[in-house]
Amino acid sequence: MDTQESNHQGNVVCGWCSYDANPLGAKYCQKCGKPLVIASVPPSQPINNIKLAFSASWLPIFLILLLVSGISFLFWDQVRFLSIVSSLNGGSGKISPDLQSISSRSDIGLYNSMKEVPKVPDGIFNYGGAVLFASLTASGTHEAMTASHPNFRLRYTEPKDGKPGTSKGITMLIDGELSIAQIGIPLRDSDYSRAKDRGFTIEQIPIAIDGVVFYTHPDINIPGLSIDQLQAIYKGEITNWKEVGGDDVPIVPFVMDPKVANLLNVLLGSEANKVSPKVQSFRDYTEAIRKVAATPGGIAFGGAGPIVGQKSIRPLAVAAVNGKNYVSPFVEDGTRVNASAFRDGTYPFTRRLFIAIRRDGTPDETAGIAYVNMLLSKEGQKFVEKAGYVPLR
């Protein structure tokens, strides 16, 4: 049967395959078998007009479906992101204010590789901050970023006094000396206020979970310490290892210089001003490990990354309650962090690590966003794990 002749006889045209010889009243196409949704063709209406009418009638529906599918994709992508970051709040499902601000940002995403990250700017961008992030750099993270985006270069920048740390990193970010600040504690209200006074905002994005690890001279032989005991040591209330089950050896506590780091605040909280005058300070982890390894009775603490795998010192197991359920920060003979204990809180001393960026509409902001997106990519998170931290995905 001639197709054109069939159209003039009022047959039904299939909206799926355009077969136009379906008899009047048919419910399914005789060619493709799909439901017929187009009315019969009037004898006087040419086939070209029918195709135009079909296109015009379905165009609004197509556009609506396209819009709905786009919104659905964005919604589920956001849900996927929030499911990751909410785990950092103990799985409670409650999102802290800083994470809520992240969820509202369309420029923070989850990519598979660093190369997939869009809008990576060309140029040399300064970064700095907490010295515990040195293990992240040493793991090859920045080399991988440059390999994926050759014109994106990162330059480590120390403060003028040569004492890097979280506090200095935040100050340098606000002062415009850094594009990216690596920080070991959340931003404070005063940090947000200082940035606002200068006409822009700053934002923190979590990129890993870290355990605060305590370590001693290798000859200290005790099963572990509780948080209360550790606090008492740094307040000068416990001064000899025999008081906590060890040998009769004076305790020599070390800590990162309080002027550049906030580890004492992490340990002592509101009682940080009660720290013992006998606590000695160090500049960086290399110095700390050397001092503790060379000092009988020595003890110090810091992030897991720079400490994991060290053989010259002895990592301590920590308990929430004295004498009960000591949990080691490392497994596999000290070569890997105890990731499961860090994630579920069994290890009682964990924290989040952040990247702080400027929100000022400048290339610094673009660089900060690109840096965060590369760290949060699946590839970037593998480097986070290699550096001794617990990845978020």
mmCIF file of all heavy atoms in Angstrom, residues 118-148:
data_model
loop_
_atom_site.group_PDB
_atom_site.id
_atom_site.type_symbol
_atom_site.label_atom_id
_atom_site.label_comp_id
_atom_site.label_asym_id
_atom_site.label_seq_id
_atom_site.Cartn_x
_atom_site.Cartn_y
_atom_site.Cartn_z
ATOM 1 N N PRO A 118 36.371 21.480 36.587
ATOM 2 C CA PRO A 118 36.318 22.584 35.627
ATOM 3 C C PRO A 118 36.848 23.893 36.213
ATOM 4 O O PRO A 118 37.059 24.015 37.423
ATOM 5 C CB PRO A 118 34.824 22.704 35.343
ATOM 6 C CG PRO A 118 34.177 22.318 36.640
ATOM 7 C CD PRO A 118 35.067 21.259 37.242
ATOM 8 N N LYS A 119 37.056 24.853 35.341
ATOM 9 C CA LYS A 119 37.403 26.232 35.715
ATOM 10 C C LYS A 119 38.625 26.319 36.621
ATOM 11 O O LYS A 119 38.659 27.096 37.589
ATOM 12 C CB LYS A 119 36.201 26.904 36.383
ATOM 13 C CG LYS A 119 34.959 26.972 35.502
ATOM 14 C CD LYS A 119 33.798 27.639 36.213
ATOM 15 C CE LYS A 119 32.562 27.686 35.317
ATOM 16 N NZ LYS A 119 31.399 28.311 36.011
ATOM 17 N N VAL A 120 39.629 25.511 36.311
ATOM 18 C CA VAL A 120 40.887 25.598 37.052
ATOM 19 C C VAL A 120 41.703 26.740 36.450
ATOM 20 O O VAL A 120 42.036 26.711 35.265
ATOM 21 C CB VAL A 120 41.671 24.276 36.972
ATOM 22 C CG1 VAL A 120 42.996 24.401 37.710
ATOM 23 C CG2 VAL A 120 40.839 23.132 37.552
ATOM 24 N N PRO A 121 42.025 27.764 37.227
ATOM 25 C CA PRO A 121 42.675 28.955 36.653
ATOM 26 C C PRO A 121 44.157 28.741 36.345
ATOM 27 O O PRO A 121 44.815 27.881 36.941
ATOM 28 C CB PRO A 121 42.495 30.009 37.748
ATOM 29 C CG PRO A 121 42.504 29.204 39.017
ATOM 30 C CD PRO A 121 41.796 27.913 38.680
ATOM 31 N N ASP A 122 44.658 29.521 35.441
ATOM 32 C CA ASP A 122 46.088 29.546 35.160
ATOM 33 C C ASP A 122 46.766 30.518 36.124
ATOM 34 O O ASP A 122 46.205 31.550 36.478
ATOM 35 C CB ASP A 122 46.356 30.014 33.729
ATOM 36 C CG ASP A 122 45.810 29.044 32.687
ATOM 37 O OD1 ASP A 122 45.452 27.914 33.072
ATOM 38 O OD2 ASP A 122 45.720 29.424 31.507
ATOM 39 N N GLY A 123 47.963 30.179 36.541
ATOM 40 C CA GLY A 123 48.702 31.094 37.396
ATOM 41 C C GLY A 123 49.388 30.390 38.549
ATOM 42 O O GLY A 123 49.284 29.161 38.713
ATOM 43 N N ILE A 124 50.114 31.170 39.339
ATOM 44 C CA ILE A 124 50.796 30.680 40.539
ATOM 45 C C ILE A 124 50.026 31.188 41.754
ATOM 46 O O ILE A 124 49.802 32.386 41.905
ATOM 47 C CB ILE A 124 52.246 31.172 40.587
ATOM 48 C CG1 ILE A 124 53.017 30.668 39.355
ATOM 49 C CG2 ILE A 124 52.928 30.708 41.867
ATOM 50 C CD1 ILE A 124 54.423 31.209 39.263
ATOM 51 N N PHE A 125 49.624 30.264 42.621
ATOM 52 C CA PHE A 125 48.772 30.615 43.762
ATOM 53 C C PHE A 125 49.442 30.158 45.066
ATOM 54 O O PHE A 125 49.933 29.034 45.166
ATOM 55 C CB PHE A 125 47.395 29.988 43.610
ATOM 56 C CG PHE A 125 46.674 30.445 42.372
ATOM 57 C CD1 PHE A 125 46.741 29.693 41.207
ATOM 58 C CD2 PHE A 125 45.974 31.643 42.350
ATOM 59 C CE1 PHE A 125 46.096 30.120 40.049
ATOM 60 C CE2 PHE A 125 45.341 32.078 41.206
ATOM 61 C CZ PHE A 125 45.395 31.316 40.048
ATOM 62 N N ASN A 126 49.432 31.047 46.048
ATOM 63 C CA ASN A 126 50.077 30.781 47.331
ATOM 64 C C ASN A 126 49.166 29.972 48.250
ATOM 65 O O ASN A 126 47.958 30.217 48.332
ATOM 66 C CB ASN A 126 50.436 32.090 48.030
ATOM 67 C CG ASN A 126 51.525 32.854 47.303
ATOM 68 O OD1 ASN A 126 52.160 32.336 46.388
ATOM 69 N ND2 ASN A 126 51.748 34.092 47.719
ATOM 70 N N TYR A 127 49.769 29.019 48.947
ATOM 71 C CA TYR A 127 49.035 28.264 49.969
ATOM 72 C C TYR A 127 49.917 28.147 51.201
ATOM 73 O O TYR A 127 51.146 28.312 51.149
ATOM 74 C CB TYR A 127 48.636 26.872 49.451
ATOM 75 C CG TYR A 127 49.780 25.885 49.421
ATOM 76 C CD1 TYR A 127 50.004 25.001 50.479
ATOM 77 C CD2 TYR A 127 50.661 25.831 48.339
ATOM 78 C CE1 TYR A 127 51.054 24.095 50.457
ATOM 79 C CE2 TYR A 127 51.712 24.939 48.307
ATOM 80 C CZ TYR A 127 51.908 24.065 49.372
ATOM 81 O OH TYR A 127 52.958 23.176 49.350
ATOM 82 N N GLY A 128 49.308 27.842 52.342
ATOM 83 C CA GLY A 128 50.053 27.683 53.584
ATOM 84 C C GLY A 128 49.093 27.409 54.719
ATOM 85 O O GLY A 128 47.894 27.200 54.505
ATOM 86 N N GLY A 129 49.613 27.407 55.952
ATOM 87 C CA GLY A 129 48.763 27.166 57.110
ATOM 88 C C GLY A 129 49.344 26.105 58.017
ATOM 89 O O GLY A 129 50.545 26.094 58.298
ATOM 90 N N ALA A 130 48.492 25.178 58.468
ATOM 91 C CA ALA A 130 48.871 24.179 59.466
ATOM 92 C C ALA A 130 49.988 23.277 58.946
ATOM 93 O O ALA A 130 49.899 22.744 57.838
ATOM 94 C CB ALA A 130 47.657 23.345 59.859
ATOM 95 N N VAL A 131 51.018 23.081 59.768
ATOM 96 C CA VAL A 131 52.159 22.274 59.332
ATOM 97 C C VAL A 131 51.803 20.800 59.199
ATOM 98 O O VAL A 131 52.507 20.049 58.520
ATOM 99 C CB VAL A 131 53.346 22.435 60.310
ATOM 100 C CG1 VAL A 131 53.868 23.848 60.289
ATOM 101 C CG2 VAL A 131 52.953 22.035 61.733
ATOM 102 N N LEU A 132 50.709 20.366 59.811
ATOM 103 C CA LEU A 132 50.334 18.962 59.703
ATOM 104 C C LEU A 132 49.961 18.580 58.272
ATOM 105 O O LEU A 132 49.959 17.401 57.913
ATOM 106 C CB LEU A 132 49.186 18.631 60.662
ATOM 107 C CG LEU A 132 47.804 19.240 60.402
ATOM 108 C CD1 LEU A 132 46.932 18.286 59.603
ATOM 109 C CD2 LEU A 132 47.119 19.594 61.707
ATOM 110 N N PHE A 133 49.667 19.580 57.431
ATOM 111 C CA PHE A 133 49.335 19.300 56.035
ATOM 112 C C PHE A 133 50.578 18.978 55.204
ATOM 113 O O PHE A 133 50.458 18.687 54.015
ATOM 114 C CB PHE A 133 48.603 20.484 55.408
ATOM 115 C CG PHE A 133 47.133 20.532 55.735
ATOM 116 C CD1 PHE A 133 46.691 21.102 56.912
ATOM 117 C CD2 PHE A 133 46.197 20.012 54.846
ATOM 118 C CE1 PHE A 133 45.344 21.160 57.220
ATOM 119 C CE2 PHE A 133 44.845 20.067 55.135
ATOM 120 C CZ PHE A 133 44.409 20.636 56.329
ATOM 121 N N ALA A 134 51.760 19.031 55.819
ATOM 122 C CA ALA A 134 52.980 18.719 55.082
ATOM 123 C C ALA A 134 52.931 17.309 54.505
ATOM 124 O O ALA A 134 53.446 17.048 53.404
ATOM 125 C CB ALA A 134 54.198 18.877 55.987
ATOM 126 N N SER A 135 52.283 16.392 55.221
ATOM 127 C CA SER A 135 52.203 15.016 54.720
ATOM 128 C C SER A 135 51.318 14.929 53.481
ATOM 129 O O SER A 135 51.510 14.064 52.627
ATOM 130 C CB SER A 135 51.661 14.084 55.813
ATOM 131 O OG SER A 135 50.356 14.466 56.213
ATOM 132 N N LEU A 136 50.342 15.839 53.357
ATOM 133 C CA LEU A 136 49.499 15.857 52.168
ATOM 134 C C LEU A 136 50.310 16.268 50.949
ATOM 135 O O LEU A 136 50.196 15.676 49.871
ATOM 136 C CB LEU A 136 48.326 16.818 52.381
ATOM 137 C CG LEU A 136 47.283 16.899 51.257
ATOM 138 C CD1 LEU A 136 46.561 15.573 51.105
ATOM 139 C CD2 LEU A 136 46.283 18.006 51.536
ATOM 140 N N THR A 137 51.162 17.276 51.124
ATOM 141 C CA THR A 137 52.037 17.700 50.038
ATOM 142 C C THR A 137 53.040 16.607 49.699
ATOM 143 O O THR A 137 53.286 16.311 48.525
ATOM 144 C CB THR A 137 52.787 18.985 50.429
ATOM 145 O OG1 THR A 137 51.850 19.975 50.861
ATOM 146 C CG2 THR A 137 53.575 19.545 49.256
ATOM 147 N N ALA A 138 53.594 15.974 50.740
ATOM 148 C CA ALA A 138 54.598 14.926 50.528
ATOM 149 C C ALA A 138 54.019 13.706 49.818
ATOM 150 O O ALA A 138 54.761 12.952 49.188
ATOM 151 C CB ALA A 138 55.207 14.519 51.865
ATOM 152 N N SER A 139 52.732 13.507 49.922
ATOM 153 C CA SER A 139 52.107 12.348 49.281
ATOM 154 C C SER A 139 52.008 12.494 47.764
ATOM 155 O O SER A 139 51.615 11.546 47.079
ATOM 156 C CB SER A 139 50.703 12.117 49.864
ATOM 157 O OG SER A 139 49.801 13.129 49.431
ATOM 158 N N GLY A 140 52.346 13.667 47.231
ATOM 159 C CA GLY A 140 52.306 13.877 45.789
ATOM 160 C C GLY A 140 51.042 14.539 45.288
ATOM 161 O O GLY A 140 50.799 14.600 44.080
ATOM 162 N N THR A 141 50.247 15.076 46.214
ATOM 163 C CA THR A 141 48.964 15.669 45.838
ATOM 164 C C THR A 141 49.135 16.817 44.850
ATOM 165 O O THR A 141 48.454 16.879 43.825
ATOM 166 C CB THR A 141 48.234 16.180 47.088
ATOM 167 O OG1 THR A 141 48.171 15.142 48.059
ATOM 168 C CG2 THR A 141 46.825 16.629 46.750
ATOM 169 N N HIS A 142 50.019 17.732 45.152
ATOM 170 C CA HIS A 142 50.156 18.919 44.313
ATOM 171 C C HIS A 142 50.778 18.598 42.954
ATOM 172 O O HIS A 142 50.434 19.218 41.953
ATOM 173 C CB HIS A 142 50.962 19.984 45.055
ATOM 174 C CG HIS A 142 50.249 20.539 46.246
ATOM 175 N ND1 HIS A 142 50.843 21.377 47.157
ATOM 176 C CD2 HIS A 142 48.970 20.367 46.686
ATOM 177 C CE1 HIS A 142 49.965 21.699 48.097
ATOM 178 N NE2 HIS A 142 48.830 21.088 47.829
ATOM 179 N N GLU A 143 51.673 17.624 42.936
ATOM 180 C CA GLU A 143 52.222 17.198 41.645
ATOM 181 C C GLU A 143 51.120 16.629 40.742
ATOM 182 O O GLU A 143 51.107 16.874 39.529
ATOM 183 C CB GLU A 143 53.315 16.153 41.851
ATOM 184 C CG GLU A 143 54.617 16.703 42.397
ATOM 185 C CD GLU A 143 54.614 16.807 43.913
ATOM 186 O OE1 GLU A 143 53.539 16.672 44.525
ATOM 187 O OE2 GLU A 143 55.696 17.050 44.485
ATOM 188 N N ALA A 144 50.201 15.891 41.351
ATOM 189 C CA ALA A 144 49.086 15.334 40.576
ATOM 190 C C ALA A 144 48.176 16.428 40.053
ATOM 191 O O ALA A 144 47.659 16.338 38.931
ATOM 192 C CB ALA A 144 48.289 14.355 41.444
ATOM 193 N N MET A 145 47.970 17.473 40.859
ATOM 194 C CA MET A 145 47.141 18.590 40.417
ATOM 195 C C MET A 145 47.776 19.282 39.205
ATOM 196 O O MET A 145 47.095 19.590 38.211
ATOM 197 C CB MET A 145 46.952 19.597 41.555
ATOM 198 C CG MET A 145 46.066 19.104 42.685
ATOM 199 S SD MET A 145 45.906 20.360 43.997
ATOM 200 C CE MET A 145 44.758 19.525 45.109
ATOM 201 N N THR A 146 49.085 19.511 39.283
ATOM 202 C CA THR A 146 49.777 20.177 38.183
ATOM 203 C C THR A 146 49.812 19.296 36.942
ATOM 204 O O THR A 146 49.712 19.789 35.811
ATOM 205 C CB THR A 146 51.213 20.550 38.609
ATOM 206 O OG1 THR A 146 51.149 21.423 39.743
ATOM 207 C CG2 THR A 146 51.946 21.263 37.488
ATOM 208 N N ALA A 147 49.929 17.979 37.138
ATOM 209 C CA ALA A 147 49.906 17.067 35.996
ATOM 210 C C ALA A 147 48.555 17.106 35.286
ATOM 211 O O ALA A 147 48.476 17.006 34.059
ATOM 212 C CB ALA A 147 50.221 15.648 36.462
ATOM 213 N N SER A 148 47.487 17.284 36.061
ATOM 214 C CA SER A 148 46.138 17.351 35.469
ATOM 215 C C SER A 148 45.858 18.711 34.853
ATOM 216 O O SER A 148 45.139 18.810 33.856
ATOM 217 C CB SER A 148 45.091 17.043 36.547
ATOM 218 O OG SER A 148 45.252 15.741 37.060
#
